[in-house]
Amino acid sequence: MIDPESLPYRPCAGFMLVNAEGKVFVGQRIDPSAHGFWQMPQGGIDKGEDIRAAALRELEEEVGVPAHMVDVIGQTSRPIRYDLPPELLGRVWKGKYRGQEQYWFLGRFLGADADIDLEAHDPPEFNEWRWIDPEQLPELIVPFKRAVYEEVLAEFRDLI
């Protein structure tokens, strides 16, 4: 039995990408355990990496959108944590973490839909993508991350 209190949080950066109509980018993860759920681009922060640089790197890796196609207009006031559910604890991230501590950025997409390339990184993270109304975010994410998306949305709502 793993004691989650004994494990650290994995540092992570996420990106809420919005288009000119105020819609938010979401991708459907290829991972079979997350089938049917949609999420915004996010991923681990490398040791010594700047948080904003990590968020932009993840955006480019997962969505194919380089930094020059984004106008960063917001950052959450603090990192937001979530804990893994018991059934995933010890299985994800080689069992090293109890959850994630996420730093979120908001940016306007300056490109066109044709600039989005889910195969920009090998292997790809998403198999489908779409633009959604921001209020739909919490209902589309895996349930254990719902509170994170609600908090990110609350912080960015006025900027979207």
Side-chain angles (χ1 to χ4, degrees):
M1 183 81 174
I2 297 171
D3 175 18
E5 300 292 320
S6 69
L7 298 173
Y9 286 95
R10 177 180 183 244
C12 176
F15 207 95
M16 179 186 278
L17 184 68
V18 296
N19 67 12
E21 290 80 42
K23 304 276 188 179
V24 177
F25 174 94
V26 290
Q28 183 173 323
R29 287 186 49 91
I30 290 175
D31 178 359
S33 68
H35 183 72
F37 296 109
W38 297 74
Q39 71 177 48
M40 295 181 285
Q42 56 110 92
I45 301 169
D46 295 334
K47 191 173 179 95
E49 186 177 27
D50 175 78
I51 296 167
R52 179 181 166 133
L56 289 167
R57 175 183 51 75
E58 287 293 334
L59 182 64
E60 185 165 8
E61 285 178 4
E62 295 184 2
V63 182
V65 174
H68 73 271
M69 286 189 183
V70 178
D71 179 20
V72 179
I73 56 174
Q75 178 180 352
T76 50
S77 59
R78 64 179 184 78
I80 303 167
R81 290 179 171 175
Y82 74 83
D83 291 323
L84 289 169
E87 66 272 13
L88 294 179
L89 195 63
R91 291 184 36 212
V92 218
W93 308 306
K94 300 177 183 170
K96 292 194 241 177
Y97 303 101
R98 68 193 275 182
Q100 291 196 74
E101 179 172 80
Q102 299 184 321
Y103 300 82
W104 284 92
F105 292 83
L106 170 66
R108 291 221 182 275
F109 182 44
L110 305 175
D113 286 1
D115 295 317
I116 293 174
D117 179 8
L118 300 184
E119 295 185 15
H121 187 262
D122 188 25
E125 298 264 342
F126 302 125
N127 58 10
E128 290 183 55
W129 70 273
R130 63 185 179 186
W131 297 108
I132 63 164
D133 290 322
E135 300 303 324
Q136 289 180 276
L137 280 168
E139 66 194 54
L140 295 177
I141 188 66
V142 292
F144 64 89
K145 293 183 184 178
R146 191 162 289 145
V148 171
Y149 273 37
E150 288 168 347
E151 192 167 336
V152 170
L153 183 57
E155 282 212 41
F156 291 158
R157 187 174 278 117
D158 292 341
L159 297 173
I160 297 172

